[in-house]
């Protein structure tokens, strides 16, 4: 077991009781609770069904911490709701890829991403399962309204811990949809200028 697992369990258990923590968008949905851990056999069956190997850190989270629930945005989806995606091809040479499409069966010629966290609308939070970004978390829009953004966290456990640490410290973090207590207490001070 990864040595970060017990620490993450403790940090998550403490978050709801910290009075000066940040508000996490979607926390009303998951209420910082975790769903049951899937059995090792269930995870192995998912991998075999999709002909992939889940990144180790994400796999350890599922089997040692929880299979759904508490996570940024609306929370971690249960494995049976996760879907494989591919990044849309570039429209023109030299332009970055934008958006994600469902992966066709046997689509192993392209990098694969697993949709793991519910963000709402057409926004997606994925983990790269093949290719140069394997194990990294990316946030993007499946319709391509904005391009994908890869987290600097090395794996899912680091990314998850960053969410907990920023929330615990009471920080704003737009990428993780965290709102500090100061901003929540005085939202009119931080209102953007009206469009002219």
């Amino acid at each position: 077991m990864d040595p970060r697992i017990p620490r993450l369990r403790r940090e998550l258990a403490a978050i709801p009781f910290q009075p000066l923590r940040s508000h996490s968008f979607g926390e009303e949905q998951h209420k910082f609770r975790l769903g049951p851990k899937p059995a090792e056999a269930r995870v192995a069956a998912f991998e075999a069904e999709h002909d992939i190997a889940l990144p180790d850190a994400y796999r350890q989270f599922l089997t040692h911490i929880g299979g759904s629930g508490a996570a940024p945005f609306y929370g971690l989806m249960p494995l049976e709701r996760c879907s494989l995606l591919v990044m849309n091809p570039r429209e023109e040479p030299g332009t970055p890829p934008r958006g994600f499409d469902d992966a066709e069966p046997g689509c192993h010629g392209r990098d694969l991403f697993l949709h793991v966290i519910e963000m709402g609308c057409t926004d997606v939070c994925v983990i790269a399962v093949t290719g140069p970004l394997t194990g990294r978390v990316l946030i993007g829009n499946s319709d391509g309204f904005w391009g994908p953004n890869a987290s600097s966290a090395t794996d899912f456990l680091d990314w998850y811990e960053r969410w907990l640490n920023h929330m615990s410290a009471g920080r704003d973090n737009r990428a993780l949809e965290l709102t500090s207590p100061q901003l929540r207490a005085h939202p009119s001070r931080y209102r953007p200028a009206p469009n002219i």
Side-chain angles (χ1 to χ4, degrees), residues 25-43:
F25 173 80
E27 70 181 53
E28 297 83 7
Q29 183 85 15
H30 56 73
K31 298 179 174 105
F32 299 106
R33 293 188 200 124
L34 292 166
K37 298 175 277 198
E40 181 65 38
R42 172 67 188 108
V43 175

Side-chain angles (χ1 to χ4, degrees), residues 80-119:
E80 56 272 8
R81 284 193 42 222
C82 294
S83 58
L84 279 178
L85 304 174
V86 292
M87 211 175 279
N88 292 342
R90 291 178 165 88
E91 292 183 15
E92 297 175 20
T95 62
R98 299 178 69 83
F100 294 88
D101 289 323
D102 290 329
E104 299 293 327
C107 182
H108 291 288
R110 297 172 64 187
D111 297 342
L112 296 173
F113 301 87
L114 187 65
H115 183 193
V116 295
I117 292 190
E118 185 65 49
M119 290 182 67

Side-chain angles (χ1 to χ4, degrees), residues 109-149:
R110 297 172 64 187
D111 297 342
L112 296 173
F113 301 87
L114 187 65
H115 183 193
V116 295
I117 292 190
E118 185 65 49
M119 290 182 67
C121 298
T122 59
D123 294 342
V124 293
C125 181
V126 299
I127 295 176
V129 293
T130 63
L133 294 173
T134 297
R136 301 268 302 274
V137 176
L138 291 86
I139 296 174
N141 180 273
S142 59
D143 290 337
F145 292 123
W146 49 282
N149 180 12

Side-chain angles (χ1 to χ4, degrees), residues 2 11 18 45 58 71 75 89 96 108 114 117 127-128 142 146 154 157-158 161 164 175 177 179-181 192 195:
D2 190 294
E11 289 174 5
Q18 294 178 349
Y58 173 66
H108 291 288
L114 187 65
I117 292 190
I127 295 176
S142 59
W146 49 282
T154 58
L157 293 175
D158 280 346
E161 188 164 33
L164 292 173
E177 290 285 339
T179 309
S180 68
N195 292 334

Side-chain angles (χ1 to χ4, degrees), residues 6-18 32 34 70 160 164:
R7 184 174 68 234
L8 288 174
R9 282 188 191 135
R10 285 191 306 274
E11 289 174 5
L12 178 61
I15 283 289
F17 306 104
Q18 294 178 349
F32 299 106
L34 292 166
Y160 194 88
L164 292 173

